[in-house]
Amino acid sequence: LLPHRGCKSAACAEHQRFSPWESSTAMDINLNGSAVQAEHRIAEGKGVRDAVMLGYAQSDLGTGNVTAVLVRDSVCIAAGACVDMG
């Protein structure tokens, strides 16, 4: 779970945020793993998309809920050492 660049809450402002526009492999996805918009890697416009609500309890954050949209991306820790996080 990463804070999205579009998040403007005080909780998000305290952390670095993920920007799918800065990744060449990020794709907005629905719960079933399909692209939000088949013709675009990153969804455009104000369309409806799937979201999930997660509850959390952590010693440093307390307890609460977070609503999240889904993005699939590849993460590389070294050349040739990549994994698809979808």
Side-chain angles (χ1 to χ4, degrees):
L1 180 64
L2 300 172
H4 191 278
R5 183 181 88 171
C7 181
K8 304 298 184 205
S9 75
C12 289
E14 294 179 18
H15 302 280
Q16 290 186 2
R17 288 171 271 189
F18 175 73
S19 177
W21 298 274
E22 295 178 30
S23 170
S24 62
T25 56
M27 177 186 296
D28 290 332
I29 60 171
N30 293 308
L31 285 170
N32 66 5
S34 66
V36 171
Q37 295 177 342
E39 64 278 6
H40 300 285
R41 186 175 58 82
I42 305 297
E44 296 181 0
K46 298 233 181 230
V48 176
R49 62 184 293 183
D50 292 343
V52 295
M53 180 179 283
L54 304 169
Y56 63 87
Q58 289 186 281
S59 60
D60 60 336
L61 298 175
T63 60
N65 295 306
V66 61
T67 301
V69 295
L70 306 168
V71 178
R72 179 175 58 224
D73 203 353
S74 293
V75 174
C76 300
I77 57 172
C82 300
V83 63
D84 183 350
M85 299 301 290

